[in-house]
Amino acid sequence: MIETYLLEQLAAFHQYGTLSAAAQHLHLAQPSLSRSMQKLETLLGVSLFERQKNRIVLNPTGALAAQHAEKILAAHAEMERHIKAF
């Protein structure tokens, strides 16, 4: 099962475009975010990034995963709103 924090981190990387910018937004150290992204790849069993010297970018599979992560996070937030309002 994929933990919510991994989806949040993937969505942040998608939004900010770099590990360092996403890590700063999330108040994490960049190596910690990098390890989380590697963990997510392991859990999914696919590569999500194209790794270049001193840079990573989402590959098409990673972009798809990020889009799904954003939808899941939105659904999670909507669920919380509905339950609290009930």
Side-chain angles (χ1 to χ4, degrees):
M1 184 165 148
I2 298 171
E3 297 181 60
T4 305
Y5 80 94
L6 293 171
L7 299 177
E8 291 169 343
Q9 292 176 0
L10 178 61
F13 180 87
H14 185 239
Q15 180 180 357
Y16 291 96
T18 66
L19 281 175
S20 52
Q24 183 176 4
H25 171 76
L26 295 166
H27 306 287
L28 295 172
Q30 184 270 331
S32 178
L33 180 57
S34 182
R35 283 189 299 276
S36 290
M37 295 300 93
Q38 290 171 346
K39 179 179 180 177
L40 184 57
E41 286 180 312
T42 299
L43 287 169
L44 292 172
V46 297
S47 175
L48 301 175
F49 302 94
E50 291 179 15
R51 288 170 171 82
Q52 303 163 354
K53 185 176 180 179
N54 297 325
R55 185 169 180 232
I56 68 169
V57 295
L58 288 171
N59 64 23
T61 304
L64 178 64
Q67 291 171 359
H68 279 285
E70 291 164 356
K71 289 178 186 177
I72 291 166
L73 293 169
H76 184 264
E78 182 70 11
M79 180 188 88
E80 284 185 15
R81 278 192 298 275
H82 279 234
I83 290 170
K84 288 177 182 178
F86 184 72

